[in-house]
Amino acid sequence: MAVSAKARSSAFLERASVEARFHDVDPVYAETRDIRTLGFVLFLLADCILFSSFIFAYLYLRTSAPVWPPVVDGKQIEHLDVAFGAMNSIVLFGSGVTMHFALESWKNLKKAAFNFWIVLTIALGLGFLSGQAHEYLSAPMTWTGSSFGASFFTLTGLHGFHVFAGVVFLTVLAIQANRGVYTGSKYFGLVAGTLYWHFVDVIWVLLFFLFYLW
Amino acid sequence: MTAALLERTIALIGSLIVGGTATLQLRNEWPVGGLAADVTKLLLGLMILGCVLALLASLDILGAFAS
């Protein structure tokens, strides 16, 4: 009974501490938050332009080729495995949903739930990268053998690098969050991490369509 | 059950779950204002589109299956 009362008291104090942090609004942070968000969105737009350059190069190569996938040594390259691509895409899209849950958990001061969702997001991101590695090993073309292979490996490699960077980003965010860097009112890093992860998801939507479905 | 059929089944079930959850998240995010929320809405909407593409691919409506 005494232990239970002590545990309740401890839980109450912890909750009060979290709520105190939630109401601790730093005026400088509040003023610069929107500017930071704008800066991060501009960074994502710059990244969009980088991907656009490669995507337009792919579109040019594809539309100027007489047949697609191209013919190499008298034999047409096989289409990519759509079933596997769809499954791997869902792994990545699922990680976008779990990252959104992680941010919402943090906003609602549910730290245990936040930890669960962000770890699940990182695991799904690593799962997607493993799927990409499998795809590379079983791809019916090479990087240097055809314009299809060059486009595929360059664009999905660039995207894979972004996913890897995102996994590192989210890992750092999880460590920072557990060390008390973010509070209930100051969590720009988590917002930036969520936006970045959604962005990586959306780029894959386009790549999935271009390489697997079109 | 072949590997391709298993992958299609996972993609089908996954796209329904992920797409449905993302739609609910978008609906909850809809009344929120601000740049971050607006960008999130856009990105969630595009992700739902991705789920629809994966769903159509898993049903063999889009794309050419390898086996």
Side-chain angles (χ1 to χ4, degrees), chain A residues 44-114:
Chain A
L44 294 180
L45 281 174
D47 229 8
C48 249
I49 292 166
L50 175 68
F51 275 102
S52 301
S53 310
F54 285 105
I55 287 169
F56 277 105
Y58 169 72
L59 291 176
Y60 172 76
L61 290 170
R62 173 157 187 163
T63 53
S64 58
V67 288
W68 198 268
V71 176
V72 177
D73 297 332
K75 189 182 171 193
Q76 189 178 17
I77 297 171
E78 288 176 27
H79 284 277
L80 293 166
D81 185 354
V82 181
F84 185 80
M87 185 182 71
N88 210 26
S89 302
I90 285 302
V91 170
L92 190 64
F93 301 154
S95 74
V97 166
T98 56
M99 189 58 213
H100 196 82
F101 277 136
L103 180 64
E104 289 303 312
S105 300
W106 186 266
K107 286 181 185 173
N108 293 312
L109 308 174
K110 294 174 182 169
K111 198 172 173 183
F114 165 80

Side-chain angles (χ1 to χ4, degrees), chain A residues 13 50 55 75-77 109 114 140-141 143 149 158 160 178 185-186 189 197 199 201 206-207:
Chain A
L13 287 173
L50 175 68
I55 287 169
K75 189 182 171 193
Q76 189 178 17
I77 297 171
L109 308 174
F114 165 80
M141 68 288 194
W143 194 329
L158 183 65
N178 284 287
S185 61
K186 291 193 274 188
W197 200 253
F199 169 77
D201 284 352
L206 195 56
L207 297 187

Side-chain angles (χ1 to χ4, degrees), chain A residues 113-126:
Chain A
F114 165 80
N115 282 331
F116 171 76
W117 289 118
I118 199 163
V119 167
L120 187 57
T121 306
I122 292 167
L124 289 170
L126 290 173

Side-chain angles (χ1 to χ4, degrees), chain A residues 10-27 29 33 105-112 114-115 175-187 190:
Chain A
S10 171
F12 174 77
L13 287 173
E14 189 181 341
R15 177 80 188 171
S17 166
V18 169
E19 286 184 352
R21 282 191 285 123
F22 185 77
H23 293 293
D24 173 30
V25 179
D26 180 349
Y29 174 80
R33 184 180 50 208
S105 300
W106 186 266
K107 286 181 185 173
N108 293 312
L109 308 174
K110 294 174 182 169
K111 198 172 173 183
F114 165 80
N115 282 331
I175 293 168
Q176 285 184 330
N178 284 287
R179 284 187 176 172
V181 172
Y182 305 114
T183 68
S185 61
K186 291 193 274 188
Y187 51 84
L190 301 177

Side-chain angles (χ1 to χ4, degrees), chain A residues 25-36:
Chain A
V25 179
D26 180 349
V28 175
Y29 174 80
E31 277 182 24
T32 57
R33 184 180 50 208
D34 291 344
I35 299 169
R36 290 187 205 192

